[in-house]
Amino acid sequence: MNAPDRYERFVVPEGTKKVSYERDTKIINAASFIIEREDHTIGNILRMQLHRDPNTLFAGYKLPHPLQYKIIVRIHTASQSSPMQAYNQAINDLDKELEHLKKVFQAEKIRIENISL
Amino acid sequence: MDGVTYQRFPTVKIREMKHEYMKFELRETDASIANALRRVMLAEVPTIAIDLVEIESNSSVLNDEFLSHRLGLIPLVSDKAMDMRFSRDCDACDGDGQCQYCSVEFLLNVRCEGDQTLDVTSQDLRSADMAAMPVDFEIGRGFDAGGYDHSNDKKGIIIVKLRRGQELRLRAIARKGIGKDHAKWSPAATVTFMYEPEIHINEELMETLTLTEKLNWIESSPTKVFDIDPNTQQVVVVDPEAYTYDDEVIKKSEAMGKPGLVEIYAKDDSFIFTVESTGAISAYQLVINALEILKQKLDAVRLSDDTQENDEQFGELRQHMGGVS
């Protein structure tokens, strides 16, 4: 009867930002990114990609509560970089990786089909 | 900092590809990408499924909501789902089934007149749109694996059975959706991946065993991973992927007083995927769509320009204040 609508799990409510940025008040080059309506799918690939960046001193994410449909990604970087820069870099690199993966997948399909002919 | 990149270049090898089944190897990436891909295939690749049912007449033994639920679970061919709109985002309509961008209308009109029980199946659903028909499983093409002759069977998924005088008339609207919303929209039957195992037999230690000991050791594995070479009587790995990371052979070698007979590692950058689709889209298309959806999700979590500008202003403000940090 009073169950929340199912779409609340993946539709960002009007007037809410998908990603908000919160700078740490005490530590320089540390910040949290609050990503609305995302889960481990995005959280974990971002975290692992950030770990590949040597300027990132810390990267982690949490899903605060299963019924709060948001994740918090926390990044702490060295002084040469900034959390925002590391975050953008991670997304760009992942994007390129997936684009590459899609290309090799399509090429592999063509290769397989030519063999079976 | 431009030009710096920590990108990876994964490789793919397809082992087997059928319409609704696929097995492939994914290498040179990590478990986070493999798992994200699996999660997206299960819950975020869109398909179309019946979402709204208007029952005009139902004198069957099943009640209206029972029937509606069954109709929702019928897989529909969803090749065009990626290009369709979600009903809630569609500004061309109010989601009433007349809109070409977001919905497909189905009609079902069956009445049993004979003495025989009449099966109402997914094949009785009529739609104006040929691109969104119920998935055809092609039962009734000869014999199945058990040798049973299906050639006289009616195709399709049974929705309800009618006896004389009973009828079912309804209008159903199929919409685009994702598995996260309701499992009926999930295009995946199963998606699994495993780490590729790397098995090293310590040949020197293995040769200290007698043939019966070797056979005993081989038998300790619940799956057929090892075997005896009939010519040399050496233990050989016949199927590394049959290994289920159960550690039984390692425990066995310890119990036999020969620890280190075998060493098994999971290669943490190498995955073997098995993808089975419901038939709504092909297994191959499922993977491609999942990659596309994942890319779209990443684009959606990019920082907006105003967030970045606000932070830059904040940084300047801090500098004016004498760099209190």
Side-chain angles (χ1 to χ4, degrees):
Chain A
M1 286 287 270
N2 59 356
D5 289 315
R6 286 196 311 248
Y7 65 79
E8 280 183 27
R9 291 177 63 185
F10 48 87
V11 180
V12 182
E14 243 168 271
T16 320
K17 267 177 134 177
K18 180 81 179 170
V19 190
S20 43
Y21 170 84
E22 221 167 79
R23 195 189 269 266
D24 193 290
T25 50
K26 294 203 178 93
I27 310 164
I28 50 159
N29 286 325
S32 294
F33 298 80
I34 299 143
I35 309 175
E36 280 294 331
R37 313 290 125 138
E38 289 298 344
D39 57 16
H40 302 283
T41 308
I42 288 294
N44 199 31
I45 53 171
L46 267 180
R47 177 181 75 106
M48 293 314 284
Q49 185 65 40
L50 283 161
H51 287 171
R52 291 175 60 79
D53 184 343
N55 287 323
T56 304
L57 303 176
F58 173 86
Y61 83 98
K62 66 176 172 184
L63 188 86
H65 188 97
L67 293 175
Q68 283 176 353
Y69 307 114
K70 65 174 182 194
I71 54 167
I72 299 168
V73 180
R74 192 173 154 78
I75 306 172
H76 190 168
T77 67
S79 54
Q80 303 94 296
S81 186
S82 74
M84 218 173 238
Q85 200 181 328
Y87 181 88
N88 289 336
Q89 170 95 53
I91 291 179
N92 287 336
D93 289 345
L94 281 170
D95 203 46
K96 281 187 278 177
E97 176 170 348
L98 291 171
E99 186 59 44
H100 170 79
L101 197 52
K102 203 173 151 186
K103 277 203 193 101
V104 293
F105 222 100
Q106 284 162 338
E108 175 69 2
K109 186 201 181 217
I110 293 166
R111 191 185 72 86
I112 283 286
E113 282 170 344
N114 285 339
I115 288 171
S116 56
L117 278 177
Chain B
M1 289 299 280
D2 280 313
V4 180
T5 176
Y6 308 107
Q7 192 203 340
R8 277 172 301 212
F9 295 91
T11 57
V12 171
K13 187 166 175 254
I14 299 177
R15 285 197 188 160
E16 208 185 333
M17 187 169 71
K18 291 184 193 135
H19 182 74
E20 59 278 283
Y21 175 84
M22 184 155 82
K23 198 163 190 160
F24 65 92
E25 296 161 9
L26 176 66
R27 290 176 207 275
E28 284 160 69
T29 186
D30 71 358
S32 71
I33 294 287
N35 195 42
L37 197 58
R38 183 191 64 86
R39 287 174 64 96
V40 170
M41 282 194 254
L42 287 168
E44 297 188 66
V45 172
T47 63
I48 43 182
I50 290 174
D51 195 32
L52 201 89
V53 183
E54 272 173 35
I55 296 185
E56 218 174 292
S57 159
N58 170 22
S59 52
S60 76
V61 291
L62 299 184
N63 61 47
D64 293 2
E65 15 311 72
F66 199 140
L67 277 172
S68 311
H69 180 238
R70 293 189 67 121
L71 286 166
L73 296 175
I74 295 169
L76 306 175
V77 174
S78 306
D79 293 317
K80 61 170 199 162
M82 283 294 273
D83 305 316
M84 277 172 75
R85 292 179 190 164
F86 287 107
S87 268
R88 63 184 131 78
D89 300 332
C90 186
D91 36 36
C93 74
D94 49 1
D96 62 352
Q98 313 297 326
C99 173
Q100 54 169 323
Y101 302 110
C102 72
S103 46
V104 182
E105 192 182 28
F106 288 91
L107 293 169
L108 189 133
N109 192 346
V110 190
R111 187 181 167 83
C112 178
E113 301 288 5
D115 281 330
Q116 286 262 305
T117 318
L118 180 72
D119 292 352
V120 183
T121 72
S122 56
Q123 305 282 297
D124 292 311
L125 283 167
R126 291 277 151 255
S127 157
D129 189 347
M130 291 307 286
M133 292 302 282
V135 167
D136 189 346
F137 285 95
E138 307 206 31
I139 312 163
R141 296 271 166 91
F143 297 84
D144 70 9
Y148 177 74
D149 187 358
H150 284 289
S151 50
N152 295 321
D153 294 8
K154 198 180 171 189
K155 288 188 201 175
I157 300 162
I158 296 179
I159 298 163
V160 67
K161 293 184 178 185
L162 301 180
R163 61 179 290 181
R164 184 198 270 277
Q166 293 179 334
E167 70 164 354
L168 185 59
R169 264 187 292 143
L170 57 86
R171 191 173 85 105
I173 293 164
R175 292 190 180 133
K176 173 180 171 175
I178 58 171
K180 224 180 201 183
D181 191 344
H182 190 289
K184 69 183 176 188
W185 276 299
S186 178
T190 49
V191 182
T192 63
F193 70 86
M194 71 177 284
Y195 287 113
E196 186 177 29
E198 204 179 290
I199 304 176
H200 301 284
I201 298 174
N202 185 337
E203 302 287 354
E204 214 173 294
L205 197 57
M206 189 63 84
E207 283 317 305
T208 63
L209 300 182
T210 62
L211 184 60
T212 19
E213 281 178 315
K214 281 181 188 171
L215 284 169
N216 261 330
W217 182 78
I218 288 166
E219 281 305 304
S220 73
S221 174
T223 49
K224 192 118 193 86
V225 181
F226 306 95
D227 208 349
I228 288 278
D229 188 311
N231 301 318
T232 61
Q233 302 205 329
Q234 277 182 315
V235 177
V236 286
V237 180
V238 283
D239 184 9
E241 278 156 41
Y243 186 60
T244 54
Y245 294 96
D246 45 57
D247 279 1
E248 289 297 331
V249 283
I250 290 157
K251 281 183 213 149
K252 179 71 179 175
S253 38
E254 276 162 18
M256 290 165 80
K258 308 261 178 177
L261 258 187
V262 69
E263 281 182 53
I264 305 176
Y265 307 104
K267 290 168 92 177
D268 59 9
D269 68 340
S270 195
F271 309 93
I272 299 150
F273 266 84
T274 320
V275 178
E276 277 178 61
S277 105
T278 58
I281 51 175
S282 70
Y284 168 75
Q285 200 59 50
L286 175 53
V287 180
I288 294 291
N289 288 0
L291 289 168
E292 186 56 41
I293 296 284
L294 199 50
K295 248 158 46 93
Q296 287 172 11
K297 282 171 75 75
L298 273 172
D299 277 335
V301 300
R302 280 180 198 278
L303 287 165
S304 56
D305 291 340
D306 57 319
T307 311
Q308 302 207 33
E309 276 164 26
N310 281 345
D311 187 59
E312 275 154 28
Q313 283 164 8
F314 184 72
E316 279 162 27
L317 185 72
R318 285 211 310 182
Q319 278 173 359
H320 287 305
M321 286 160 72
V324 198
S325 46

PDB file of all heavy atoms in Angstrom, chain B residues 53 55-60 62-64 67 71 107-112 120 159-162 165-170:
ATOM      1  N   VAL B  53      -2.274  -4.235 -18.560  1.00  0.00           N
ATOM      2  CA  VAL B  53      -3.242  -5.150 -19.178  1.00  0.00           C
ATOM      3  C   VAL B  53      -4.654  -4.654 -18.878  1.00  0.00           C
ATOM      4  O   VAL B  53      -4.978  -4.361 -17.726  1.00  0.00           O
ATOM      5  CB  VAL B  53      -3.065  -6.595 -18.654  1.00  0.00           C
ATOM      6  CG1 VAL B  53      -4.027  -7.529 -19.357  1.00  0.00           C
ATOM      7  CG2 VAL B  53      -1.634  -7.066 -18.841  1.00  0.00           C
ATOM      8  N   ILE B  55      -8.325  -6.018 -19.170  1.00  0.00           N
ATOM      9  CA  ILE B  55      -9.060  -7.249 -19.446  1.00  0.00           C
ATOM     10  C   ILE B  55     -10.506  -6.915 -19.768  1.00  0.00           C
ATOM     11  O   ILE B  55     -11.198  -6.258 -18.986  1.00  0.00           O
ATOM     12  CB  ILE B  55      -8.921  -8.226 -18.270  1.00  0.00           C
ATOM     13  CG1 ILE B  55      -7.435  -8.607 -18.185  1.00  0.00           C
ATOM     14  CG2 ILE B  55      -9.803  -9.454 -18.483  1.00  0.00           C
ATOM     15  CD1 ILE B  55      -7.070  -9.626 -17.209  1.00  0.00           C
ATOM     16  N   GLU B  56     -10.909  -7.347 -20.958  1.00  0.00           N
ATOM     17  CA  GLU B  56     -12.261  -7.053 -21.405  1.00  0.00           C
ATOM     18  C   GLU B  56     -13.194  -8.148 -20.902  1.00  0.00           C
ATOM     19  O   GLU B  56     -14.290  -7.882 -20.421  1.00  0.00           O
ATOM     20  CB  GLU B  56     -12.255  -7.037 -22.937  1.00  0.00           C
ATOM     21  CG  GLU B  56     -13.129  -5.977 -23.550  1.00  0.00           C
ATOM     22  CD  GLU B  56     -12.922  -5.958 -25.046  1.00  0.00           C
ATOM     23  OE1 GLU B  56     -11.812  -5.581 -25.490  1.00  0.00           O
ATOM     24  OE2 GLU B  56     -13.855  -6.362 -25.755  1.00  0.00           O
ATOM     25  N   SER B  57     -12.720  -9.388 -21.060  1.00  0.00           N
ATOM     26  CA  SER B  57     -13.532 -10.507 -20.612  1.00  0.00           C
ATOM     27  C   SER B  57     -12.605 -11.646 -20.232  1.00  0.00           C
ATOM     28  O   SER B  57     -11.682 -11.983 -20.965  1.00  0.00           O
ATOM     29  CB  SER B  57     -14.451 -10.928 -21.758  1.00  0.00           C
ATOM     30  OG  SER B  57     -14.878 -12.253 -21.567  1.00  0.00           O
ATOM     31  N   ASN B  58     -12.853 -12.233 -19.065  1.00  0.00           N
ATOM     32  CA  ASN B  58     -12.026 -13.342 -18.619  1.00  0.00           C
ATOM     33  C   ASN B  58     -12.899 -14.331 -17.873  1.00  0.00           C
ATOM     34  O   ASN B  58     -13.292 -14.099 -16.742  1.00  0.00           O
ATOM     35  CB  ASN B  58     -10.902 -12.813 -17.708  1.00  0.00           C
ATOM     36  CG  ASN B  58     -10.152 -13.928 -17.002  1.00  0.00           C
ATOM     37  OD1 ASN B  58     -10.156 -15.068 -17.456  1.00  0.00           O
ATOM     38  ND2 ASN B  58      -9.532 -13.606 -15.896  1.00  0.00           N
ATOM     39  N   SER B  59     -13.210 -15.434 -18.543  1.00  0.00           N
ATOM     40  CA  SER B  59     -13.985 -16.461 -17.850  1.00  0.00           C
ATOM     41  C   SER B  59     -13.150 -17.713 -17.635  1.00  0.00           C
ATOM     42  O   SER B  59     -13.667 -18.799 -17.427  1.00  0.00           O
ATOM     43  CB  SER B  59     -15.259 -16.780 -18.636  1.00  0.00           C
ATOM     44  OG  SER B  59     -14.927 -17.082 -19.979  1.00  0.00           O
ATOM     45  N   SER B  60     -11.816 -17.547 -17.703  1.00  0.00           N
ATOM     46  CA  SER B  60     -10.922 -18.673 -17.480  1.00  0.00           C
ATOM     47  C   SER B  60     -10.823 -18.958 -15.980  1.00  0.00           C
ATOM     48  O   SER B  60     -11.385 -18.238 -15.166  1.00  0.00           O
ATOM     49  CB  SER B  60      -9.525 -18.352 -18.022  1.00  0.00           C
ATOM     50  OG  SER B  60      -8.851 -17.484 -17.144  1.00  0.00           O
ATOM     51  N   LEU B  62      -8.157 -18.774 -14.179  1.00  0.00           N
ATOM     52  CA  LEU B  62      -7.189 -17.898 -13.507  1.00  0.00           C
ATOM     53  C   LEU B  62      -7.760 -16.496 -13.361  1.00  0.00           C
ATOM     54  O   LEU B  62      -8.438 -15.997 -14.253  1.00  0.00           O
ATOM     55  CB  LEU B  62      -5.875 -17.832 -14.301  1.00  0.00           C
ATOM     56  CG  LEU B  62      -5.122 -19.140 -14.494  1.00  0.00           C
ATOM     57  CD1 LEU B  62      -3.804 -18.872 -15.209  1.00  0.00           C
ATOM     58  CD2 LEU B  62      -4.857 -19.822 -13.170  1.00  0.00           C
ATOM     59  N   ASN B  63      -7.470 -15.848 -12.236  1.00  0.00           N
ATOM     60  CA  ASN B  63      -7.981 -14.490 -12.048  1.00  0.00           C
ATOM     61  C   ASN B  63      -7.179 -13.466 -12.849  1.00  0.00           C
ATOM     62  O   ASN B  63      -6.100 -13.765 -13.355  1.00  0.00           O
ATOM     63  CB  ASN B  63      -8.059 -14.139 -10.554  1.00  0.00           C
ATOM     64  CG  ASN B  63      -6.697 -14.193  -9.893  1.00  0.00           C
ATOM     65  OD1 ASN B  63      -5.728 -13.659 -10.420  1.00  0.00           O
ATOM     66  ND2 ASN B  63      -6.626 -14.868  -8.751  1.00  0.00           N
ATOM     67  N   ASP B  64      -7.711 -12.263 -12.948  1.00  0.00           N
ATOM     68  CA  ASP B  64      -7.139 -11.230 -13.813  1.00  0.00           C
ATOM     69  C   ASP B  64      -5.687 -10.894 -13.463  1.00  0.00           C
ATOM     70  O   ASP B  64      -4.834 -10.801 -14.348  1.00  0.00           O
ATOM     71  CB  ASP B  64      -7.968  -9.937 -13.724  1.00  0.00           C
ATOM     72  CG  ASP B  64      -9.366 -10.105 -14.306  1.00  0.00           C
ATOM     73  OD1 ASP B  64      -9.675 -11.235 -14.743  1.00  0.00           O
ATOM     74  OD2 ASP B  64     -10.124  -9.128 -14.311  1.00  0.00           O
ATOM     75  N   LEU B  67      -3.240 -13.638 -14.460  1.00  0.00           N
ATOM     76  CA  LEU B  67      -2.997 -13.607 -15.906  1.00  0.00           C
ATOM     77  C   LEU B  67      -2.071 -12.458 -16.282  1.00  0.00           C
ATOM     78  O   LEU B  67      -1.140 -12.632 -17.071  1.00  0.00           O
ATOM     79  CB  LEU B  67      -4.317 -13.432 -16.658  1.00  0.00           C
ATOM     80  CG  LEU B  67      -5.116 -14.707 -16.884  1.00  0.00           C
ATOM     81  CD1 LEU B  67      -6.468 -14.357 -17.467  1.00  0.00           C
ATOM     82  CD2 LEU B  67      -4.365 -15.630 -17.832  1.00  0.00           C
ATOM     83  N   LEU B  71       1.444 -12.643 -18.229  1.00  0.00           N
ATOM     84  CA  LEU B  71       1.683 -11.937 -19.496  1.00  0.00           C
ATOM     85  C   LEU B  71       2.965 -11.107 -19.402  1.00  0.00           C
ATOM     86  O   LEU B  71       3.759 -11.060 -20.338  1.00  0.00           O
ATOM     87  CB  LEU B  71       0.489 -11.036 -19.831  1.00  0.00           C
ATOM     88  CG  LEU B  71      -0.762 -11.771 -20.318  1.00  0.00           C
ATOM     89  CD1 LEU B  71      -1.965 -10.843 -20.287  1.00  0.00           C
ATOM     90  CD2 LEU B  71      -0.558 -12.307 -21.723  1.00  0.00           C
ATOM     91  N   LEU B 107      -3.056  -7.537 -28.654  1.00  0.00           N
ATOM     92  CA  LEU B 107      -4.444  -7.934 -28.455  1.00  0.00           C
ATOM     93  C   LEU B 107      -4.498  -9.443 -28.344  1.00  0.00           C
ATOM     94  O   LEU B 107      -3.762 -10.152 -29.024  1.00  0.00           O
ATOM     95  CB  LEU B 107      -5.312  -7.466 -29.622  1.00  0.00           C
ATOM     96  CG  LEU B 107      -5.491  -5.952 -29.760  1.00  0.00           C
ATOM     97  CD1 LEU B 107      -6.139  -5.618 -31.088  1.00  0.00           C
ATOM     98  CD2 LEU B 107      -6.306  -5.389 -28.611  1.00  0.00           C
ATOM     99  N   LEU B 108      -5.369  -9.922 -27.484  1.00  0.00           N
ATOM    100  CA  LEU B 108      -5.540 -11.365 -27.341  1.00  0.00           C
ATOM    101  C   LEU B 108      -7.038 -11.631 -27.288  1.00  0.00           C
ATOM    102  O   LEU B 108      -7.760 -11.007 -26.511  1.00  0.00           O
ATOM    103  CB  LEU B 108      -4.856 -11.851 -26.069  1.00  0.00           C
ATOM    104  CG  LEU B 108      -4.786 -13.373 -25.911  1.00  0.00           C
ATOM    105  CD1 LEU B 108      -3.393 -13.779 -25.503  1.00  0.00           C
ATOM    106  CD2 LEU B 108      -5.767 -13.891 -24.895  1.00  0.00           C
ATOM    107  N   ASN B 109      -7.487 -12.501 -28.170  1.00  0.00           N
ATOM    108  CA  ASN B 109      -8.917 -12.780 -28.254  1.00  0.00           C
ATOM    109  C   ASN B 109      -9.097 -14.265 -28.556  1.00  0.00           C
ATOM    110  O   ASN B 109      -8.932 -14.695 -29.686  1.00  0.00           O
ATOM    111  CB  ASN B 109      -9.513 -11.908 -29.372  1.00  0.00           C
ATOM    112  CG  ASN B 109     -11.029 -11.913 -29.331  1.00  0.00           C
ATOM    113  OD1 ASN B 109     -11.626 -12.755 -28.659  1.00  0.00           O
ATOM    114  ND2 ASN B 109     -11.629 -10.991 -30.051  1.00  0.00           N
ATOM    115  N   VAL B 110      -9.367 -15.054 -27.520  1.00  0.00           N
ATOM    116  CA  VAL B 110      -9.480 -16.500 -27.706  1.00  0.00           C
ATOM    117  C   VAL B 110     -10.741 -17.003 -27.011  1.00  0.00           C
ATOM    118  O   VAL B 110     -11.085 -16.555 -25.913  1.00  0.00           O
ATOM    119  CB  VAL B 110      -8.253 -17.242 -27.109  1.00  0.00           C
ATOM    120  CG1 VAL B 110      -8.282 -18.690 -27.521  1.00  0.00           C
ATOM    121  CG2 VAL B 110      -6.967 -16.605 -27.553  1.00  0.00           C
ATOM    122  N   ARG B 111     -11.435 -17.916 -27.676  1.00  0.00           N
ATOM    123  CA  ARG B 111     -12.612 -18.539 -27.080  1.00  0.00           C
ATOM    124  C   ARG B 111     -12.575 -20.017 -27.407  1.00  0.00           C
ATOM    125  O   ARG B 111     -12.277 -20.399 -28.538  1.00  0.00           O
ATOM    126  CB  ARG B 111     -13.880 -17.897 -27.654  1.00  0.00           C
ATOM    127  CG  ARG B 111     -15.150 -18.355 -26.987  1.00  0.00           C
ATOM    128  CD  ARG B 111     -16.363 -17.704 -27.618  1.00  0.00           C
ATOM    129  NE  ARG B 111     -17.557 -18.393 -27.169  1.00  0.00           N
ATOM    130  CZ  ARG B 111     -18.172 -18.135 -26.007  1.00  0.00           C
ATOM    131  NH1 ARG B 111     -17.718 -17.199 -25.228  1.00  0.00           N
ATOM    132  NH2 ARG B 111     -19.226 -18.824 -25.658  1.00  0.00           N
ATOM    133  N   CYS B 112     -12.855 -20.850 -26.423  1.00  0.00           N
ATOM    134  CA  CYS B 112     -12.835 -22.289 -26.663  1.00  0.00           C
ATOM    135  C   CYS B 112     -14.227 -22.753 -27.075  1.00  0.00           C
ATOM    136  O   CYS B 112     -15.191 -22.543 -26.342  1.00  0.00           O
ATOM    137  CB  CYS B 112     -12.386 -23.023 -25.416  1.00  0.00           C
ATOM    138  SG  CYS B 112     -12.406 -24.801 -25.618  1.00  0.00           S
ATOM    139  N   VAL B 120      -4.095 -21.474 -24.472  1.00  0.00           N
ATOM    140  CA  VAL B 120      -3.824 -20.098 -24.910  1.00  0.00           C
ATOM    141  C   VAL B 120      -2.328 -19.873 -24.702  1.00  0.00           C
ATOM    142  O   VAL B 120      -1.836 -20.029 -23.585  1.00  0.00           O
ATOM    143  CB  VAL B 120      -4.626 -19.075 -24.081  1.00  0.00           C
ATOM    144  CG1 VAL B 120      -4.379 -17.671 -24.596  1.00  0.00           C
ATOM    145  CG2 VAL B 120      -6.103 -19.410 -24.128  1.00  0.00           C
ATOM    146  N   ILE B 159      -0.245 -19.625 -21.520  1.00  0.00           N
ATOM    147  CA  ILE B 159      -0.681 -18.598 -20.577  1.00  0.00           C
ATOM    148  C   ILE B 159      -1.786 -19.168 -19.688  1.00  0.00           C
ATOM    149  O   ILE B 159      -1.764 -19.026 -18.479  1.00  0.00           O
ATOM    150  CB  ILE B 159      -1.189 -17.344 -21.333  1.00  0.00           C
ATOM    151  CG1 ILE B 159      -0.050 -16.745 -22.171  1.00  0.00           C
ATOM    152  CG2 ILE B 159      -1.725 -16.308 -20.366  1.00  0.00           C
ATOM    153  CD1 ILE B 159      -0.512 -15.798 -23.249  1.00  0.00           C
ATOM    154  N   VAL B 160      -2.770 -19.828 -20.310  1.00  0.00           N
ATOM    155  CA  VAL B 160      -3.877 -20.425 -19.555  1.00  0.00           C
ATOM    156  C   VAL B 160      -4.523 -21.489 -20.440  1.00  0.00           C
ATOM    157  O   VAL B 160      -4.337 -21.475 -21.666  1.00  0.00           O
ATOM    158  CB  VAL B 160      -4.890 -19.332 -19.118  1.00  0.00           C
ATOM    159  CG1 VAL B 160      -5.604 -18.717 -20.292  1.00  0.00           C
ATOM    160  CG2 VAL B 160      -5.896 -19.853 -18.093  1.00  0.00           C
ATOM    161  N   LYS B 161      -5.274 -22.409 -19.834  1.00  0.00           N
ATOM    162  CA  LYS B 161      -6.009 -23.412 -20.611  1.00  0.00           C
ATOM    163  C   LYS B 161      -7.501 -23.127 -20.470  1.00  0.00           C
ATOM    164  O   LYS B 161      -7.965 -22.807 -19.373  1.00  0.00           O
ATOM    165  CB  LYS B 161      -5.689 -24.819 -20.100  1.00  0.00           C
ATOM    166  CG  LYS B 161      -4.240 -25.207 -20.357  1.00  0.00           C
ATOM    167  CD  LYS B 161      -3.956 -26.628 -19.953  1.00  0.00           C
ATOM    168  CE  LYS B 161      -2.512 -26.971 -20.267  1.00  0.00           C
ATOM    169  NZ  LYS B 161      -2.209 -28.377 -20.004  1.00  0.00           N
ATOM    170  N   LEU B 162      -8.225 -23.228 -21.577  1.00  0.00           N
ATOM    171  CA  LEU B 162      -9.664 -22.937 -21.563  1.00  0.00           C
ATOM    172  C   LEU B 162     -10.453 -24.206 -21.852  1.00  0.00           C
ATOM    173  O   LEU B 162     -10.029 -25.043 -22.650  1.00  0.00           O
ATOM    174  CB  LEU B 162      -9.997 -21.887 -22.622  1.00  0.00           C
ATOM    175  CG  LEU B 162      -9.314 -20.514 -22.538  1.00  0.00           C
ATOM    176  CD1 LEU B 162      -9.797 -19.629 -23.682  1.00  0.00           C
ATOM    177  CD2 LEU B 162      -9.590 -19.837 -21.218  1.00  0.00           C
ATOM    178  N   GLY B 165     -16.648 -22.985 -23.864  1.00  0.00           N
ATOM    179  CA  GLY B 165     -17.437 -21.839 -23.430  1.00  0.00           C
ATOM    180  C   GLY B 165     -16.638 -20.760 -22.719  1.00  0.00           C
ATOM    181  O   GLY B 165     -17.123 -19.643 -22.565  1.00  0.00           O
ATOM    182  N   GLN B 166     -15.391 -21.076 -22.330  1.00  0.00           N
ATOM    183  CA  GLN B 166     -14.592 -20.050 -21.650  1.00  0.00           C
ATOM    184  C   GLN B 166     -13.890 -19.178 -22.681  1.00  0.00           C
ATOM    185  O   GLN B 166     -13.531 -19.655 -23.749  1.00  0.00           O
ATOM    186  CB  GLN B 166     -13.549 -20.705 -20.742  1.00  0.00           C
ATOM    187  CG  GLN B 166     -14.165 -21.437 -19.569  1.00  0.00           C
ATOM    188  CD  GLN B 166     -13.121 -22.085 -18.702  1.00  0.00           C
ATOM    189  OE1 GLN B 166     -12.031 -22.412 -19.161  1.00  0.00           O
ATOM    190  NE2 GLN B 166     -13.469 -22.296 -17.438  1.00  0.00           N
ATOM    191  N   GLU B 167     -13.705 -17.913 -22.335  1.00  0.00           N
ATOM    192  CA  GLU B 167     -13.027 -17.043 -23.284  1.00  0.00           C
ATOM    193  C   GLU B 167     -12.130 -16.053 -22.552  1.00  0.00           C
ATOM    194  O   GLU B 167     -12.263 -15.813 -21.356  1.00  0.00           O
ATOM    195  CB  GLU B 167     -14.043 -16.291 -24.160  1.00  0.00           C
ATOM    196  CG  GLU B 167     -14.832 -15.236 -23.428  1.00  0.00           C
ATOM    197  CD  GLU B 167     -15.533 -14.256 -24.367  1.00  0.00           C
ATOM    198  OE1 GLU B 167     -15.315 -14.332 -25.586  1.00  0.00           O
ATOM    199  OE2 GLU B 167     -16.282 -13.425 -23.860  1.00  0.00           O
ATOM    200  N   LEU B 168     -11.207 -15.509 -23.345  1.00  0.00           N
ATOM    201  CA  LEU B 168     -10.262 -14.522 -22.813  1.00  0.00           C
ATOM    202  C   LEU B 168     -10.092 -13.436 -23.858  1.00  0.00           C
ATOM    203  O   LEU B 168      -9.713 -13.712 -24.994  1.00  0.00           O
ATOM    204  CB  LEU B 168      -8.915 -15.196 -22.502  1.00  0.00           C
ATOM    205  CG  LEU B 168      -7.861 -14.334 -21.822  1.00  0.00           C
ATOM    206  CD1 LEU B 168      -8.370 -13.804 -20.490  1.00  0.00           C
ATOM    207  CD2 LEU B 168      -6.601 -15.139 -21.603  1.00  0.00           C
ATOM    208  N   ARG B 169     -10.435 -12.208 -23.477  1.00  0.00           N
ATOM    209  CA  ARG B 169     -10.259 -11.074 -24.384  1.00  0.00           C
ATOM    210  C   ARG B 169      -9.542  -9.977 -23.611  1.00  0.00           C
ATOM    211  O   ARG B 169      -9.992  -9.622 -22.514  1.00  0.00           O
ATOM    212  CB  ARG B 169     -11.623 -10.556 -24.856  1.00  0.00           C
ATOM    213  CG  ARG B 169     -12.061 -11.114 -26.205  1.00  0.00           C
ATOM    214  CD  ARG B 169     -13.308 -10.447 -26.699  1.00  0.00           C
ATOM    215  NE  ARG B 169     -14.442 -10.801 -25.861  1.00  0.00           N
ATOM    216  CZ  ARG B 169     -15.436  -9.971 -25.530  1.00  0.00           C
ATOM    217  NH1 ARG B 169     -15.400  -8.724 -25.943  1.00  0.00           N
ATOM    218  NH2 ARG B 169     -16.429 -10.368 -24.765  1.00  0.00           N
ATOM    219  N   LEU B 170      -8.443  -9.489 -24.145  1.00  0.00           N
ATOM    220  CA  LEU B 170      -7.727  -8.430 -23.418  1.00  0.00           C
ATOM    221  C   LEU B 170      -6.865  -7.593 -24.352  1.00  0.00           C
ATOM    222  O   LEU B 170      -6.598  -7.977 -25.490  1.00  0.00           O
ATOM    223  CB  LEU B 170      -6.866  -9.028 -22.302  1.00  0.00           C
ATOM    224  CG  LEU B 170      -5.810 -10.067 -22.644  1.00  0.00           C
ATOM    225  CD1 LEU B 170      -4.506  -9.424 -23.044  1.00  0.00           C
ATOM    226  CD2 LEU B 170      -5.587 -10.975 -21.453  1.00  0.00           C
TER     227      LEU B 170
END
